[in-house]
Amino acid sequence: MTYLLLAEKPSAAKNFAKALGGMTGMYNGQAYKVQTLFGHMLEFVEPHEMVGESEKKDFQSWEPGTMPWDVSQLNWKKQAQKSKNMKTGKVTSKAGAIQDVKKAAKNVSAIVIATDKDPSGEGQLIGWEVIQAIGWSGPVKRMYFIDESEKELQKGFKNIQDLPAYDKDGEYVKADVRSRWDFVSMQLTRLATHAARSKGYNAVVRQGRLKSVMTKLVADQLALVKAYKKKPYFEVKYKDENGNVFARKFDEDKDSWRFETKADAEKDKMNYGPSVVVQDSKTKKETAPGKLLDLGGLASILGAKGYKSKEVLATYQKLYEAKIVSYPRTEDKFISTEQFNEMLPLVDKIASVVGADTSLLTHRKPRKTHVKEGGAHGANRPGTVIPKSLDDLSKYGTSAKAIYETLAKNFLAMFGENYVYDSIKGHIAKHPAFTTTVSVPIDQGFKAIFDADKETADEDKDDDTSSGLGQNGSPIVAEGVNKKPPHPSHKWLEKQLSKYEVGTGATRVSTLSEVTNGKTALLTDKKGKLDLTKTGEIAAALLEGSHIGDPGVTEKLFKAMKDVGDFKVKPHAVLDTATKVIKHDKEVFYRNAERLKQKVGAPDASMQKAQPKPKTEGVYKPTGEKIRFNKVWGDHAFTSEEIEKLLNGETIMIQVKSQKTGKTHHVEGSLGQGVYNGKPFWGFQRKKAESYTRENAPFPKMWSGYTFTKEDEKKLRAGEKIKIKATSKKTKKPFEVGVTFEMREYKGNKSWGIEPHFEPRKDPNEYTRENAPFKPEFSGYKLTKQEIQDLRAGGKVMITAKSKKGKNFTCNVSLELKEFKGKKFWGLEADFG
């Protein structure tokens, strides 16, 4: 009676072995073997391989007349997952790993799916598809665990559960329907691509459940930003000696006291004079800490700090495997009582690592908003393994320190007390219509640790805190402006998707990573700020009026997929919705394609279909074989004389223009065989760097704005280091640097070039506040010499700076050792307290 445990990946298998006592053995009286999987082991074959011979052509076609498909004709055949190295063309398959599972399953009494438990049922699908592939007909069981700690894996092993047949297993059914729906929806990409290409836009226009919604939401918001027209107005307000502003509620249908010019408002101001302030009420209020973050919220915060979704996902996974953070793909926003009790003894240690003040962590009892029963893995939080310091996390990835610090402080916030403040309402005695409401902080509570609501807000909110109402108010002319729509950002998009409950946090992050990377990217992500690529503009234009781009439709689809898992809806009914969406959106795509030029402009050079390069042929004399090769290399067309030399096996020198810089340079090479996408070809091959020496290698005329003299070249070819004055491409500022002429390697390619030798950057920890270099500017405010001296003495300086929205704000700044994306530096730290 031996159980075969299917672990999702090698790292998980190692954790199982550690928890149970080895890859094979006996635990709790039950014999077992651990077998590793490698994530998804199978994939659907191409659609034309799922149908009969007479239908193959239609299912392979990208022509609109062949779609939507009749999905009842698909046999849903799968094959071992394959991956192709785009550089070498080599294809690898997981067929061998599947055979390893089959061998391991011989003579076992049951197979146990011991993959992660995902909200989407993905873990169940990974296990079942391998079990089906090996033809197993014996008992199948399930092992659930919250994380891969020894305690949880041991607990999960002791509570292994029986599973019904795969078609009666709701988790599997849910995941299987989702994967089939996504497979069928490839028709949307084919249709969108064909529609775009029919109008001259040579692009692959990806569409899908979540990526289309993301693209449409961003496009619609960008349209609002573009259409926005600033309309300033002026009105009379009151201001007391504490800086509190008293205003009237404006009804544009009734009121006429807002003016287009300041002069008119100044005239209106003559109707008002100084008045005492009347306090109407004073109410003590409290605010509890915000919810625990999911991966979507965490990634949106880090996106604004410059960390890409792809990097955050990969790094978080590594931290999870090391048990430093909890399970990534959870949809829980709370933790269980058991999880709370497990983490409670670790609170002070976690606080010490992230620099949180333990004297603020006085709420050591479970909060009903954060701790409740139910859920699966619990909300994203620190793991049970506590790092010695944040610096120890650098080995896991660029964003590791930022991930842990943000996650830990968000978790620790629930151990802080409530934020307590007085909400004070008041008005101007002589003119009661002028009112205000201010908040006077009494106890910062959890906000002194971490304010999740503030950190995940997609817009900067005005600070309504005050020291209290003043005694007297005076009329002022205040300038206002109609509200500008916020530019779409990672935080903004996360809010929109959360509102529609579209996908889990992890799914949203992985999809955003997908649509912001690669040649077919739909969006760009610069420090959390989202924009459309040219392909994204085309996709968005085609999506106007579509179902696949409608978040409401997608929300219903996600719900239907959940209902399938609860057997409230039949799988075929959900799959039928894909055909309905494709049928509807096919007409929409082609109708919208008629207006593509109007919407996105004419196809640029990058969108125009590449013309095949002209070929030439002849006998390659060194081998005597007849060969065919491109007559053009780069922007250089070979002359008849050059072709003859190449066919003779000679080396020639040609002049080409760099596509990147536009500058011309010489390239030496000869005919040779290469491999592209796994296929051999004949063509002009650049002479390899290894065949040159420093004395005869092609030498650049200039580097970073500096033009080399003949004397410079002579010294560099002799192996000497020379000092030059170059210019930074980024800042345009001059700098001095020592350079040598070296053979370098980048992404496996070797070349000769200029190698700079910068002086090693001094460790910021070696500086003190008195001598540290820093930028003496904050949000548009430039520090005076006296203010810089005060900061270096350890003091704080009050400044009035300007926000991104153009509003003035006051804060204190100090000079501190800071950290961004894993790099430490000295800079100004704002304090708004």
Side-chain angles (χ1 to χ4, degrees), residues 233-495:
Y233 57 84
F234 301 86
E235 65 179 84
V236 175
K237 293 183 180 182
Y238 270 81
K239 194 172 188 178
D240 67 18
E241 64 268 30
N242 289 344
N244 301 306
V245 177
F246 297 73
R248 296 165 286 183
K249 290 182 179 178
F250 182 74
D251 185 335
E252 61 183 31
D253 294 327
K254 297 178 182 178
D255 299 321
S256 57
W257 41 261
R258 275 190 178 171
F259 305 95
E260 292 184 2
T261 67
K262 188 174 183 180
D264 287 337
E266 290 287 358
K267 288 180 183 179
D268 188 43
K269 180 186 169 188
M270 302 299 291
N271 298 317
Y272 303 92
S275 174
V276 296
V277 170
V278 177
Q279 180 173 301
D280 297 316
S281 65
K282 182 178 180 180
T283 308
K284 191 175 183 179
K285 293 185 176 182
E286 294 187 18
T287 302
K291 291 180 179 179
L292 294 170
L293 295 170
D294 63 11
L295 197 54
L298 173 67
S300 73
I301 293 172
L302 299 184
K305 297 179 179 179
Y307 298 103
K308 301 289 186 183
S309 297
K310 185 176 182 180
E311 203 283 329
V312 172
L313 274 173
T315 301
Y316 193 106
Q317 182 64 34
K318 292 175 186 176
L319 291 170
Y320 166 64
E321 290 171 6
K323 306 180 187 67
I324 293 169
V325 296
S326 65
Y327 182 71
R329 295 184 295 280
T330 181
E331 57 183 351
D332 299 334
K333 295 289 183 72
F334 56 86
I335 60 175
S336 67
T337 303
E338 182 181 353
Q339 291 163 351
F340 177 84
N341 291 333
E342 180 183 45
M343 296 300 294
L344 188 59
L346 305 177
V347 166
D348 289 344
K349 289 183 180 179
I350 295 171
S352 175
V353 173
V354 298
D357 187 349
T358 54
S359 67
L360 299 173
L361 309 176
T362 53
H363 194 106
R364 300 288 174 125
K365 292 182 180 180
R367 289 180 177 272
K368 292 180 181 179
T369 50
H370 292 68
V371 182
K372 57 182 82 172
E373 297 313 315
H377 298 280
N380 293 101
R381 61 195 183 280
T384 53
V385 174
I386 313 298
K388 292 180 180 177
S389 69
L390 288 175
D391 288 337
D392 282 351
L393 299 175
S394 298
K395 59 186 175 185
Y396 296 101
T398 308
S399 63
K401 290 194 279 186
I403 287 173
Y404 191 81
E405 183 174 17
T406 305
L407 204 62
K409 286 185 175 179
N410 173 238
F411 171 74
L412 292 173
M414 73 172 170
F415 294 97
E417 299 298 337
N418 288 355
Y419 168 61
V420 184
Y421 63 98
D422 280 333
S423 178
I424 303 176
K425 294 182 179 180
H427 69 270
I428 298 299
K430 291 182 180 179
H431 305 283
F434 290 87
T435 63
T436 192
T437 301
V438 298
S439 298
V440 180
I442 298 172
D443 185 351
Q444 288 290 332
F446 72 86
K447 288 193 175 188
I449 305 165
F450 188 86
D451 188 349
D453 292 335
K454 180 181 176 182
E455 292 291 337
T456 55
D458 56 298
E459 291 185 83
D460 294 330
K461 294 183 179 179
D462 293 333
D463 185 9
D464 65 347
T465 59
S466 169
S467 59
L469 296 182
Q471 298 296 314
N472 299 285
S474 300
I476 60 169
V477 171
E479 181 180 357
V481 67
N482 56 319
K483 188 177 181 182
K484 184 179 180 180
H487 190 100
S489 64
H490 192 159
K491 289 183 181 180
W492 175 88
L493 184 60
E494 178 65 22
K495 290 282 185 187

Side-chain angles (χ1 to χ4, degrees), residues 2-20:
T2 301
Y3 288 172
L4 179 65
L5 307 183
L6 300 183
E8 191 165 321
K9 47 191 172 292
S11 60
K14 289 179 182 178
N15 287 331
F16 273 75
K18 187 176 180 181
L20 303 179

Side-chain angles (χ1 to χ4, degrees), residues 90-196:
K90 186 179 180 182
V91 176
T92 57
S93 168
K94 293 182 181 178
I98 294 172
Q99 287 303 309
D100 290 341
V101 176
K102 188 172 185 177
K103 290 176 186 176
K106 288 182 179 179
N107 303 318
V108 300
S109 56
I111 292 181
V112 181
I113 297 175
T115 54
D116 292 335
K117 185 181 187 303
D118 305 285
S120 62
E122 204 72 17
Q124 217 88 339
L125 179 62
I126 288 171
W128 269 117
E129 62 185 8
V130 174
I131 290 169
Q132 292 164 353
I134 66 173
W136 174 263
S137 58
V140 178
K141 298 176 182 289
R142 187 61 159 109
M143 176 177 161
Y144 294 110
F145 45 90
I146 291 173
D147 54 44
E148 293 177 12
S149 64
E150 291 182 32
K151 177 185 173 183
E152 276 300 323
L153 294 178
Q154 291 166 358
K155 180 181 175 182
F157 189 90
K158 292 174 184 177
N159 293 282
I160 288 175
Q161 302 172 19
D162 293 328
L163 283 181
Y166 68 89
D167 58 348
K168 297 292 189 295
D169 180 359
E171 289 294 303
Y172 167 79
V173 173
K174 174 173 62 177
D176 184 54
V177 167
R178 180 202 52 72
S179 66
R180 293 187 184 201
W181 204 102
D182 288 347
F183 183 83
V184 170
S185 73
M186 75 164 66
Q187 294 171 86
L188 292 166
T189 293
R190 291 186 178 189
L191 289 167
T193 299
H194 186 276

Side-chain angles (χ1 to χ4, degrees), residues 588-833:
V588 170
F589 288 168
Y590 284 90
R591 183 173 68 242
N592 290 338
E594 296 297 326
R595 295 181 295 147
L596 270 178
K597 190 173 182 179
Q598 175 189 339
K599 288 275 190 177
V600 304
D604 57 23
S606 67
M607 288 288 171
Q608 292 170 1
K609 192 169 183 179
Q611 296 299 316
K613 292 181 179 180
K615 301 279 186 181
T616 188
E617 59 184 31
V619 176
Y620 185 57
K621 290 186 179 178
T623 62
E625 60 185 304
K626 189 174 183 179
I627 63 171
R628 195 163 183 261
F629 59 96
N630 285 338
K631 199 175 180 180
V632 174
W633 197 88
D635 67 334
H636 177 81
F638 297 114
T639 63
S640 299
E641 184 182 350
E642 287 172 334
I643 291 172
E644 185 179 351
K645 287 182 178 180
L646 289 171
L647 288 171
N648 286 335
E650 296 178 38
T651 298
I652 66 172
M653 179 84 75
I654 61 174
Q655 185 172 294
V656 294
K657 183 182 289 186
S658 169
Q659 289 183 336
K660 191 173 181 181
T661 65
K663 296 176 181 178
T664 58
H665 59 280
H666 289 91
V667 175
E668 197 174 10
S670 58
L671 278 181
Q673 276 191 301
V675 176
Y676 181 73
N677 274 354
K679 296 179 181 179
F681 71 94
W682 278 91
F684 180 78
Q685 305 286 335
R686 185 197 296 263
K687 191 174 178 180
K688 290 184 178 180
E690 296 93 324
S691 61
Y692 291 107
T693 64
R694 184 178 280 109
E695 289 74 22
N696 62 13
F699 188 85
K701 293 180 179 178
M702 64 187 308
W703 183 84
S704 199
Y706 177 83
T707 302
F708 293 104
T709 64
K710 288 185 178 181
E711 185 62 27
D712 291 335
E713 180 179 348
K714 183 178 179 182
K715 289 180 178 179
L716 289 168
R717 285 193 181 280
E720 295 181 37
K721 182 197 289 188
I722 66 170
K723 187 164 280 189
I724 64 172
K725 286 185 178 180
T727 304
S728 169
K729 292 180 182 178
K730 188 175 181 180
T731 65
K732 308 300 181 186
K733 292 182 179 179
F735 64 95
E736 279 196 354
V737 63
V739 297
T740 55
F741 185 48
E742 309 285 351
M743 183 167 68
R744 304 163 305 168
E745 186 170 345
Y746 178 68
K747 289 187 176 181
N749 296 317
K750 293 181 179 180
S751 64
W752 282 89
I754 299 300
E755 184 72 23
H757 299 273
F758 296 100
E759 292 295 325
R761 181 174 176 265
K762 190 173 178 180
D763 186 347
N765 289 304
E766 295 179 17
Y767 288 106
T768 64
R769 188 174 277 106
E770 289 76 22
N771 62 8
F774 75 98
K775 188 176 181 180
E777 184 180 335
F778 184 84
S779 199
Y781 180 87
K782 293 184 178 181
L783 297 169
T784 64
K785 289 183 178 180
Q786 183 57 51
E787 287 170 335
I788 292 172
Q789 288 177 13
D790 293 342
L791 291 174
R792 290 199 179 279
K796 289 186 177 182
V797 172
M798 181 175 284
I799 64 170
T800 299
K802 189 166 284 190
S803 71
K804 291 179 181 178
K805 294 182 179 180
K807 292 184 178 180
N808 290 331
F809 66 92
T810 301
C811 67
N812 290 312
V813 294
S814 59
L815 181 57
E816 307 292 345
L817 182 60
K818 303 173 72 175
E819 187 170 331
F820 178 70
K821 292 184 76 169
K823 293 183 179 179
K824 291 185 177 181
F825 64 97
W826 284 87
L828 298 177
E829 183 74 27
D831 179 8
F832 296 93

Side-chain angles (χ1 to χ4, degrees), residues 491-538:
K491 289 183 181 180
W492 175 88
L493 184 60
E494 178 65 22
K495 290 282 185 187
Q496 303 305 308
L497 297 174
S498 297
K499 182 170 67 178
Y500 288 103
E501 296 185 353
V502 177
T504 64
T507 302
R508 296 193 288 267
V509 176
S510 61
T511 304
L512 183 60
S513 170
E514 181 187 347
V515 299
T516 53
N517 284 285
K519 293 180 179 178
T520 57
L522 300 168
L523 305 175
T524 61
D525 179 0
K526 294 180 180 178
K527 281 196 172 183
K529 184 179 178 182
L530 303 176
D531 280 291
L532 294 168
T533 62
K534 190 67 175 180
T535 303
E537 289 179 21
I538 295 169

